[in-house]
Amino acid sequence: MAENLKECRVPCKATTDELESLCRSEGVTCKELGVSKTNLTEYEVEYLCNYKRVVPAGKLKDGTTPPPQELYLVKWRGFPESKNTWEPRKNLKCVALLSQFYEDLMHELQRQRRRIIPRRLDAATASHMVQRAKLRKRLQRWECELTALNLQRGGGRITVTNHVDLEGPPRSFTYINDYKVGDGISLTEVALGCECTDCHGAAVNGCCAGASQHRFAYNEQGQVRLRPGMPIYECNKRCRCGPDCLNRVVQRGIRHSLCIFRTENGRGWGVRAMERIRKNSFVMEYVGEIITTEEAERRGQIYDKEGATYLFDLDYVDDEYTVDAAHYGNISHFVNHSCDPNLQVYNVFIDNLDERLPRIAFFATRSIKAGEELTFDYKMQIDPMDAESTKMDSNFSVTGLPGSPKKRIRMECKCGVDSCRKYLF
């Protein structure tokens, strides 16, 4: 990648940080990595690795012992760890990194049930501080990737935090914004669209919803006004209306800023709102691989052993297909279960009107405060007296197929609400 080798194209498994370190250690400039002749030897703090308080040698002019000096072991951005140096506090202008270092240190000392910062960190604590710093870098890179993908559809920012353990971005998981269609499955795109110029105020033949003999789903603020269980028919790519049509909500993607965070009670990752979400507002889709029920049964047996729950049956009319978000999905992959959820599932049809293949959308059941965790009920039941609603009881299950005769593992529920059913399934 260096300028004198820029015509060379070879596979490379090194990270950009490792490549930058190599360039600087070898004195080579690289435009792609931002290493130029002017900044080749510039030093910028990447993170802080260690801490100690030492008493300088000698005496002050008045004969007294000088006060202890705080020293920090600094990892310099773009340089290998072999170039780390101890620096006094007065030399460091990185206020945010210092604050983060102390926050991590206090969390670790509390875990060790220690109240006072020692003069020197023991090897285990120092190693933990380095691991925390490296973890934060990995999470920041992942956060940038997720936000970039979400912004492609005009969505909000996605942040990632982990103050609980050293778990990094999930392995074998690819973030996607739309369904990934499995083998042997084809999606038939809609052939016709509405002729409306104002779908909300002057809908022709009831717009797309009316053509399907259903009600218009949204009010002027984009909030769903149908009861749970009723399908939503949005305008599609064949319609005459523009992208600002009030009947285009789910297809616009995630609009709110959300945070993927590490839970403290053993539920893995979770998702919280970073801003207020109004009742009945669209929050996110459940996106993943569309697979057949036979493949879902096979994968379900594997997920049973792993204690995972990523299979969502598309059973609006028939149990033929399932969405698997284990390895391909969006932020809904990280949403946890609750027996008292704040998200409700709706079946949505846009460019594909096959009732066996609805899109699964989550809408807020109530006003959601900033900082509140987002949840849905993995065993949600719609009104059993409503014939239309009985079509869409959600079967989000580790079991794969709800009708399978094989006895499945019961999973303990940790949602913690007063009405908790104690088990997920």
Side-chain angles (χ1 to χ4, degrees):
M1 292 181 69
E3 289 182 355
N4 55 344
L5 295 175
K6 64 181 180 180
E7 297 302 321
C8 181
R9 294 290 184 270
V10 294
C12 183
K13 294 184 178 180
T15 65
T16 54
D17 289 342
E18 291 170 339
L19 291 172
E20 184 179 351
S21 295
L22 181 61
C23 285
R24 291 186 184 277
S25 61
E26 297 296 327
V28 178
T29 61
C30 176
K31 182 178 180 180
E32 288 83 353
L33 295 174
V35 181
S36 62
K37 292 181 180 179
T38 57
N39 68 13
L40 185 61
T41 57
E42 287 183 0
Y43 284 77
E44 177 186 353
V45 178
E46 184 173 345
Y47 56 83
L48 304 175
C49 307
N50 204 340
Y51 162 89
K52 62 183 179 182
R53 291 198 309 269
V54 299
V55 178
K59 299 286 186 178
L60 297 176
K61 292 181 179 181
D62 59 4
T64 60
T65 301
Q69 185 180 38
E70 293 182 338
L71 297 177
Y72 297 85
L73 184 61
V74 177
K75 165 65 170 70
W76 300 102
R77 186 180 302 278
F79 291 89
E81 293 181 0
S82 60
K83 298 293 185 180
N84 291 1
T85 59
W86 286 97
E87 299 293 332
R89 171 66 180 84
K90 64 180 181 180
N91 288 359
L92 302 177
K93 309 300 181 184
C94 49
V95 178
L97 288 178
L98 283 163
S99 176
Q100 189 65 68
F101 179 85
Y102 272 102
E103 181 180 338
D104 290 343
L105 180 57
M106 294 309 298
H107 274 296
E108 177 60 13
L109 293 178
Q110 288 175 5
R111 188 187 68 82
Q112 299 176 11
R113 298 183 179 180
R114 300 164 66 182
R115 298 182 178 181
I116 302 176
I117 299 177
R119 292 182 60 181
R120 291 176 181 270
L121 302 185
D122 59 82
T125 302
S127 174
H128 176 83
M129 297 299 292
V130 173
Q131 291 181 69
R132 290 293 307 171
K134 291 182 176 180
L135 170 65
R136 185 168 291 104
K137 284 194 61 181
R138 297 201 306 273
L139 294 180
Q140 286 174 346
R141 284 195 293 267
W142 186 38
E143 178 181 295
C144 289
E145 293 171 4
L146 300 184
T147 296
L149 289 170
N150 203 39
L151 289 176
Q152 288 178 2
R153 300 182 67 181
R157 178 177 175 79
I158 296 178
T159 55
V160 182
T161 62
N162 180 0
H163 300 298
V164 176
D165 53 30
L166 296 175
E167 186 70 22
R171 302 176 181 87
S172 303
F173 177 75
T174 301
Y175 194 95
I176 57 177
N177 282 323
D178 208 344
Y179 281 142
K180 176 181 173 63
V181 181
D183 295 335
I185 300 174
S186 61
L187 299 181
T188 303
E189 289 192 357
V190 65
L192 298 173
C194 71
E195 297 295 322
C196 315
T197 55
D198 180 4
C199 295
H200 189 264
V204 178
N205 297 324
C207 193
C208 295
S212 301
Q213 298 182 344
H214 289 89
R215 292 177 56 206
F216 196 90
Y218 308 115
N219 63 17
E220 293 183 356
Q221 287 73 46
Q223 296 164 292
V224 66
R225 60 183 185 180
L226 302 180
R227 67 179 182 275
M230 299 299 295
I232 295 174
Y233 287 85
E234 291 196 0
C235 291
N236 59 66
K237 62 178 62 176
R238 305 282 184 182
C239 295
R240 290 184 59 188
C241 56
D244 295 329
C245 172
L246 293 179
N247 198 33
R248 298 180 187 270
V249 174
V250 172
Q251 61 193 269
R252 291 181 189 151
I254 299 169
R255 313 299 290 182
H256 301 94
S257 294
L258 306 173
C259 175
I260 301 172
F261 72 101
R262 196 70 176 167
T263 63
E264 296 183 351
N265 61 348
R267 293 179 298 129
W269 296 99
V271 179
R272 64 165 60 103
M274 297 302 291
E275 59 186 78
R276 177 178 174 270
I277 300 177
R278 295 180 302 172
K279 180 180 179 180
N280 296 328
S281 296
F282 170 67
V283 180
M284 68 182 74
E285 273 192 85
Y286 192 84
V287 172
E289 293 180 85
I290 300 178
I291 58 176
T292 62
T293 53
E294 292 79 8
E295 176 64 12
E297 174 69 10
R298 185 188 71 80
R299 296 188 188 187
Q301 294 177 11
I302 297 174
Y303 298 157
D304 274 351
K305 299 175 183 179
E306 299 174 350
T309 53
Y310 298 108
L311 298 174
F312 202 127
D313 293 336
L314 301 179
D315 57 354
Y316 180 63
V317 291
D318 294 302
D319 269 338
E320 292 191 34
Y321 302 108
T322 297
V323 176
D324 181 6
H327 302 293
Y328 295 90
N330 64 356
I331 196 170
S332 63
H333 169 97
F334 305 99
V335 176
N336 283 313
H337 161 86
S338 175
C339 297
D340 182 23
N342 52 22
L343 298 180
Q344 173 69 54
V345 175
Y346 280 81
N347 285 324
V348 182
F349 299 93
I350 306 175
D351 292 317
N352 169 55
L353 299 183
D354 187 339
E355 290 191 334
R356 300 170 302 169
L357 292 166
R359 294 168 70 160
I360 303 301
F362 292 145
F363 287 78
T365 62
R366 56 179 181 262
S367 179
I368 300 173
K369 300 177 181 178
E372 183 178 346
E373 182 175 0
L374 302 176
T375 58
F376 72 99
D377 190 342
Y378 290 2
K379 294 294 290 183
M380 176 194 68
Q381 297 293 317
I382 305 300
D383 184 2
M385 300 304 293
D386 187 326
E388 185 73 32
S389 297
T390 56
K391 292 182 179 181
M392 66 154 291
D393 290 350
S394 75
N395 290 303
F396 181 88
S397 174
V398 70
T399 65
L401 300 182
S404 172
K406 182 178 178 181
K407 184 178 180 180
R408 299 297 191 176
I409 299 171
R410 295 194 76 186
M411 295 184 64
E412 180 185 0
C413 179
K414 299 179 180 179
C415 71
V417 300
D418 293 338
S419 57
C420 180
R421 298 189 297 264
K422 306 304 179 184
Y423 293 94
L424 294 182
F425 309 107

